[in-house]
């Protein structure tokens, strides 16, 4: 299912007030999704044009870090996605790398 078929984005403020943890929204996933919609492309179109698989493209767009294939492949796929939807590749790569680092650091045990 394409992201544009899904309901509204989660309400992070409300979740925080209710004590529920939900991941922070991904700047890259949102930017790539908007770029794809702007160009009238499906996820399949992007995957084909970017030369990567549908699962990786979907995981990046959804910010589903658990489904991403690994840092190097994910960043390479995100750069290719950015080329397809005409977003700055360097910004996409650096911002995604920062998001992945933030997730990795937040999962470290506190001692």
């Amino acid at each position: 299912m394409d992201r544009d078929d899904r309901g509204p984005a989660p309400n992070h403020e409300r979740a925080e007030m209710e004590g529920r943890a939900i991941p922070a929204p991904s700047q890259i996933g949102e930017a790539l999704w908007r770029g794809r919609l702007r160009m009238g492309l499906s996820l399949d179109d992007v995957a084909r044009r970017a030369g990567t698989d549908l699962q990786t493209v979907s995981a990046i767009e959804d910010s589903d870090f658990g489904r991403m294939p690994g840092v190097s492949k994910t960043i390479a796929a995100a750069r290719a996605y950015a080329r397809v939807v005409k977003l700055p590749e360097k910004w996409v790569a650096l911002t995604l790398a920062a998001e992945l680092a933030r997730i990795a650091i937040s999962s470290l045990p506190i001692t």
Side-chain angles (χ1 to χ4, degrees), residues 32-111:
L32 292 171
W33 170 68
R34 288 184 186 279
R36 178 173 68 80
L37 292 183
R38 184 185 71 245
M39 297 191 68
L41 300 172
S42 69
L43 283 171
D44 287 323
D45 294 333
V46 170
R48 188 179 69 257
R49 292 180 186 189
T52 191
D53 60 279
L54 178 62
Q55 291 77 21
T56 298
V57 170
S58 178
I60 292 168
E61 189 174 291
D62 291 341
S63 304
D64 187 346
F65 299 107
R67 288 190 306 141
M68 292 182 187
V71 175
S72 296
K73 185 175 179 186
T74 298
I75 291 174
R79 287 181 72 116
Y81 190 151
R83 273 192 302 275
V84 170
V85 298
K86 300 183 180 4
L87 289 176
E89 288 179 54
K90 188 173 184 177
W91 174 77
V92 167
L94 291 173
T95 305
L96 180 58
E99 288 182 10
L100 293 170
R102 179 183 53 81
I103 296 297
I105 289 169
S106 69
S107 67
L108 293 173
I110 298 174
T111 58

